[in-house]
């Protein structure tokens, strides 16, 4: 029997299979680092999200929207975390009708375990050259954004959709982008996937800036 003909490109299923192998390392790491609380994946996601947002800033609806979950299942996970005394709840300081959540000291400890990446994965990433890491980050951003645009992921707080983001504002290839919020240039390796200061850009800014970002250089008319 003859060997299958070589494929000109890496096929999507081969890449998906590679990603699935990486996700196995993530799952194994999560089990090894082990939460004494035996949290479900959804409960871990909720804890991780609350840990990276300002305390008492997220309502149940916010948590569900960010994680792309249905409100009843989010409600059950949050109730469990409150019951385990990992989350506290109180009335929102800016809306008396809303309940917001924060980590308790035990929740902060647990979130530290939950958000710790497996050593094996970090070591493998550290083996990559700096430009390879920057290229992977860029590819991940493209995939995440595509999933977001297709409605398969909730809206993310990434630089590439931020109104403060100006791709290829500078000629310096190391730091070609500009962030209005910090008023400084930055490079691909510093692109953020979840920034507290992100301000989702209106479509008439977001789409042209995205095209500029993926094309890698200013279009001729404004270069
Ligand atoms: S504010 Fe945050 S998300 Fe926006 S461009 Fe600056 S670093 Fe990126």
């Amino acid at each position: 029997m003859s060997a299958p003909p070589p494929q000109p490109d890496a096929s999507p299923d081969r890449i998906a299979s590679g990603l699935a192998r990486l996700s196995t390392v993530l799952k194994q790491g999560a089990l090894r680092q082990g939460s004494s609380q035996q949290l479900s994946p959804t409960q871990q996601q909720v804890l991780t999200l609350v840990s990276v947002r300002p305390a008492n800033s997220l309502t149940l609806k916010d948590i569900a929207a960010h994680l792309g979950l249905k409100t009843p299942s989010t409600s059950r996970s949050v109730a469990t975390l409150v019951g385990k005394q990992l989350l506290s709840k109180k009335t929102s300081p800016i809306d008396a009708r809303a309940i917001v959540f924060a980590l308790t000291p035990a929740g902060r400890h647990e979130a530290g375990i939950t958000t710790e990446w497996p050593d094996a994965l970090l070591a493998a990433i550290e083996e990559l050259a700096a430009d390879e890491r920057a290229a992977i980050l860029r590819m991940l951003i493209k995939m995440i954004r595509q999933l977001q645009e297709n409605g398969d992921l909730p809206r993310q707080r990434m630089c590439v959709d931020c109104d403060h983001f100006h791709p290829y504002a500078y000629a310096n290839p190391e730091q070609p982008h500009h962030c209005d919020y910090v008023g400084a240039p930055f490079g691909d390796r510093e692109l953020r996937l979840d920034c507290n200061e992100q301000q989702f850009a209106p479509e008439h800014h977001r789409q042209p800036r995205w095209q500029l970002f993926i094309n890698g250089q200013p279009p001729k008319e404004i270069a």
Side-chain angles (χ1 to χ4, degrees):
M1 198 168 71
S2 60
Q7 294 181 340
D9 299 314
S11 61
D13 56 350
R14 192 167 298 182
I15 292 171
S17 162
L19 291 173
R21 281 164 212 211
L22 292 179
S23 84
T24 308
V25 179
L26 279 174
K27 281 185 204 140
Q28 284 169 349
L31 288 174
R32 257 200 310 277
Q33 273 149 220
S35 155
S36 57
Q37 300 283 348
Q38 300 190 324
L39 302 181
S40 72
T42 303
Q43 290 160 7
Q44 289 183 7
Q45 280 182 294
V46 172
L47 215 54
T48 302
L49 175 63
V50 177
S51 75
V52 297
R53 297 294 176 92
N56 299 312
S57 65
L58 291 172
T59 64
L60 190 62
K61 208 169 140 202
D62 296 330
I63 295 171
H66 185 85
L67 297 177
L69 300 170
K70 301 239 181 296
T71 306
S73 93
T74 311
S75 176
R76 281 194 297 277
S77 292
V78 167
T80 302
L81 292 168
V82 171
K84 287 176 179 275
Q85 301 188 336
L86 299 174
L87 285 185
S88 63
K89 59 179 182 178
K90 64 180 245 186
T91 304
S92 165
I94 53 172
D95 178 358
R97 293 162 305 171
I99 299 294
V100 287
F101 299 91
L103 294 179
T104 62
R108 198 165 300 113
H109 172 77
E110 191 67 22
I113 298 171
T114 305
T115 56
E116 214 169 281
W117 299 109
D119 291 343
L121 185 61
L122 292 178
I125 294 170
E126 274 168 20
E127 285 297 312
L128 300 173
D131 58 343
E132 289 175 321
R133 281 188 237 164
I136 287 183
L137 182 57
R138 206 179 155 97
M139 282 185 268
L140 287 172
I141 287 168
K142 280 177 90 170
M143 288 179 68
I144 291 169
R145 192 177 186 278
Q146 188 60 48
L147 289 164
Q148 174 191 275
E149 297 302 285
N150 292 347
D152 296 315
L153 262 185
R155 188 188 276 191
Q156 305 293 304
R157 304 190 306 173
M158 302 190 289
C159 285
V160 292
D161 286 326
C162 177
D163 212 18
H164 298 300
F165 179 60
H166 297 275
Y168 298 100
Y170 304 102
N172 178 359
E174 290 300 309
Q175 293 194 304
H177 316 308
H178 179 83
C179 169
D180 272 347
Y181 186 83
V182 294
F186 67 106
D188 275 0
R189 67 197 65 183
E190 295 149 297
L191 287 163
R192 306 275 297 272
L193 294 167
D194 187 36
C195 173
N196 279 336
E197 282 65 52
Q198 200 244 30
Q199 195 178 314
F200 206 77
E203 286 307 290
H204 64 279
H205 285 169
R206 199 171 75 90
Q207 296 302 351
R209 288 178 192 172
W210 173 248
Q211 288 304 321
L212 182 51
F213 175 72
I214 54 172
N215 287 331
Q217 57 183 3
K220 285 203 169 43
E221 61 269 25
I222 64 167

